[in-house]
Amino acid sequence: MGQLETAANNETLFAQLGELIRQEMERLHVPGVAVGVYTAGQESLAGFGVTSVDHPLLVDADTLFQIGSTTKTITATAVMRLVEAGKLDLEAPLRTYLPHLRLSSEETAAHVTLRHLFTHTGGWEGDYFADTGRGADALALVVDTLAELPQITPLGALWSYNNAGYYLAGRVLEVVTGQEYEAAVKSLVLEPLGMTRSVFFAEEAITERVAIGHQSLGKEQPTIARPWALSRAAHAAGGLSSSARDQLRYLRFHLGEGTAADGTRLLSHASLQRMRSPLVSAGNGIEAMGVSWMLRHLGETLLVSHGGATHGQLSAFLFVPERQWGMTVLTNADRGGELHQIVTKWALKHYLQLEEPEELLLDLPEEQLAAFAGRYSSSVEVLEVSVQDGRLLLRAIDKGGFPHKDSPPHSPPIEVALGATGPGRVRVLDEPLKGAKGEFLREGGGKIGWFRLGVRAYPRQED
């Protein structure tokens, strides 16, 4: 296919993608979406809908959305620049840089490394969102409180998403650079890549066209989600606001050879490869974790990704290195994750002919299903699994605790059916969690100890 024909084909596909986005926005009550697709040198960008249902502005490619945990990969990219400069070591104990680090487990505090943080294998309670103020000491203060978090699993033993680990990574950046976290990331990543619209603070975002988060789950019409901003302590884990255009700049860097647009080298190609090489096994369709990146294969093709969610705003970010292709999707409602799943699946199929085969459902006897029934809990959510009429049902109950640890629950309980796909493995069959994968994990003695739904492992609660 010639260059002009390829460009025309990409334009046709992007127009079709836009129609799909419009349909799903209306169905899922998502007020605004920004999308960017990069295909072997060609960028396609568009905005849909509005920034806010109360004070609407049209969304465009430069509209700022909170990208949530996609920020974690930017934190890791900044760290990798210092690793390459010989100032940090992924395998060194954190106490090399934070000598006074205290955790509830002294064994963990003495041996935890940056590698553990970036692969979510620290083992302590991870969904912890303390607000330690707006001062320059916000990260230092939140790190001082991490000793309050219980150690759920031994260090390195189990992959389970851990936001609190990135507070430590951000604090290491501060100590080694002598800068506040935001300034360090700006100088190490954002400025060199030309991500000039990407900001951390609300007072920076308010001067731009900026998306407002919405709650739409269980509602006929979306309503504004408040508060708008996360606490400063959470910036390293998920505090960046960015645009689709800036996200494509970031994507092109990770698809490239480690240089900025002006040719300045930021990372070696070897370091980029190291970030997307498997370090620990994961689960639920994510095969492994690299340095912050989630890795899986569709056939023989490697897919690298990360997503994010804040209070009513969600992001999706994925790329396929060997095909020089990637995309970002930014949404401003709590059902944006459902839109992401549909849109990214469509894009992978139509742009790259990559499609994940759907796992067949198994018809398991009720006595086998009964072993999975129980109550599984984290600090922010309870999962109740039961057996009714020969099938597994899941009830997910929001306990509150996000975006701040004292925040009340902001969504109603969700009830969905689970279908068995293998020994101890399930898939959610109903919206709003449709397609999410789960697995029941056993302890050494064979007893089920955790239910890992998506990226989080929830410990089983004793009756």
Side-chain angles (χ1 to χ4, degrees):
M1 186 180 292
Q3 187 173 356
L4 291 178
E5 188 178 356
T6 299
N9 183 60
N10 289 339
E11 289 179 6
T12 299
L13 287 174
F14 194 68
Q16 294 171 352
L17 179 66
E19 286 304 310
L20 176 64
I21 289 171
R22 290 186 182 93
Q23 293 170 18
E24 293 304 313
M25 287 174 66
E26 182 176 357
R27 186 176 70 86
L28 298 170
H29 306 298
V30 177
V33 177
V35 62
V37 177
Y38 176 78
T39 307
Q42 181 181 350
E43 288 188 359
S44 301
L45 288 152
F48 306 87
V50 297
T51 57
S52 164
V53 295
D54 285 358
H55 305 286
L57 294 173
L58 293 178
V59 171
D60 61 22
D62 293 311
T63 300
L64 292 180
F65 287 75
Q66 294 178 15
I67 66 169
S69 288
T70 305
T71 308
K72 290 180 171 69
T73 71
I74 294 173
T75 300
T77 300
V79 165
M80 286 301 294
R81 291 206 65 193
L82 300 181
V83 169
E84 199 164 279
K87 297 179 180 180
L88 287 174
D89 184 341
L90 292 181
E91 308 294 344
L94 286 189
R95 280 183 174 167
T96 305
Y97 316 108
L98 306 177
H100 303 297
L101 174 64
R102 290 175 55 250
L103 299 171
S104 63
S105 163
E106 171 57 25
E107 175 73 10
T108 298
H111 295 99
V112 65
T113 67
L114 285 165
R115 175 187 172 124
H116 290 115
L117 306 183
F118 291 144
T119 58
H120 301 279
T121 54
W124 57 82
E125 175 62 58
D127 286 326
Y128 171 67
F129 302 99
D131 186 350
T132 51
R134 284 292 310 273
D137 59 353
L139 261 178
L141 291 173
V142 80
V143 164
D144 286 343
T145 69
L146 296 186
E148 303 170 10
L149 304 182
Q151 189 75 22
I152 306 298
T153 62
L155 179 67
L158 183 68
W159 170 71
S160 181
Y161 201 74
N162 194 310
N163 281 291
Y166 276 77
Y167 307 161
L168 289 169
R171 181 60 183 150
V172 168
L173 271 177
E174 290 189 329
V175 170
V176 172
T177 64
Q179 298 177 291
E180 295 169 24
Y181 164 80
E182 299 84 5
V185 168
K186 187 175 181 180
S187 62
L188 290 167
V189 181
L190 302 182
E191 287 183 341
L193 294 183
M195 298 172 66
T196 57
R197 299 183 71 87
S198 298
V199 298
F200 282 99
F201 295 103
E203 60 266 29
E204 299 171 304
I206 202 170
T207 64
E208 308 287 348
R209 187 177 299 250
V210 57
I212 307 301
H214 296 79
Q215 295 172 322
S216 57
L217 186 63
K219 298 172 182 269
E220 290 186 4
Q221 296 296 328
T223 57
I224 300 297
R226 295 180 172 89
W228 181 82
L230 301 183
S231 68
R232 186 176 184 182
H235 279 182
L240 190 69
S241 293
S242 188
S243 66
R245 195 183 308 277
D246 268 10
Q247 288 292 280
L248 283 197
R249 291 187 176 102
Y250 182 58
L251 187 149
R252 291 180 74 156
F253 170 73
H254 274 281
L255 280 175
E257 294 296 321
T259 59
D262 64 1
T264 303
R265 179 158 296 283
L266 304 183
L267 282 178
S268 67
H269 183 67
S271 289
L272 291 179
Q273 291 280 56
R274 185 181 186 187
M275 289 189 71
R276 56 182 186 248
S277 296
L279 295 177
V280 299
S281 297
N284 287 345
I286 300 169
E287 296 167 20
M289 287 297 306
V291 180
S292 80
W293 291 118
M294 298 178 181
L295 311 173
R296 65 187 177 107
H297 284 82
L298 292 178
E300 299 297 318
T301 304
L302 175 66
L303 176 64
V304 184
S305 67
H306 209 294
T310 64
H311 194 31
Q313 300 195 52
L314 292 94
S315 70
F317 187 96
L318 65 156
F319 60 100
V320 180
E322 69 182 71
R323 304 286 291 274
Q324 285 293 291
W325 182 91
M327 75 181 302
T328 181
V329 189
L330 308 174
T331 53
N332 65 348
D334 54 8
R335 296 194 71 179
E338 297 169 71
L339 184 146
H340 294 167
Q341 185 180 46
I342 292 165
V343 167
T344 56
K345 183 178 179 179
W346 186 97
L348 287 166
K349 178 179 179 180
H350 290 84
Y351 278 93
L352 303 179
Q353 294 73 55
L354 295 175
E355 194 168 8
E356 184 174 2
E358 189 166 300
E359 296 174 295
L360 297 177
L361 297 181
L362 305 178
D363 186 14
L364 298 182
E366 193 162 319
E367 56 268 24
Q368 286 190 33
L369 298 178
F372 305 135
R375 183 180 174 92
Y376 304 82
S377 182
S378 74
S379 60
V380 296
E381 190 173 30
V382 174
L383 304 180
E384 296 178 346
V385 179
S386 61
V387 182
Q388 296 182 29
D389 300 323
R391 64 175 187 163
L392 285 174
L393 297 179
L394 168 67
R395 190 168 190 259
I397 305 167
D398 181 4
K399 292 169 60 176
F402 180 80
H404 307 305
K405 69 174 184 176
D406 299 322
S407 298
H410 57 80
S411 63
I414 296 169
E415 297 184 355
V416 293
L418 302 175
T421 58
R425 298 197 308 274
V426 294
R427 185 175 76 243
V428 179
L429 304 181
D430 305 317
E431 291 183 341
L433 303 178
K434 186 175 182 178
K437 295 182 179 182
E439 52 191 341
F440 295 91
L441 305 173
R442 297 183 183 274
E443 299 174 340
K447 180 181 177 182
I448 293 173
W450 301 272
F451 177 35
R452 184 158 57 200
L453 181 66
V455 297
R456 286 173 172 80
Y458 297 77
R460 188 172 193 167
Q461 306 300 299
E462 296 298 331
D463 296 332

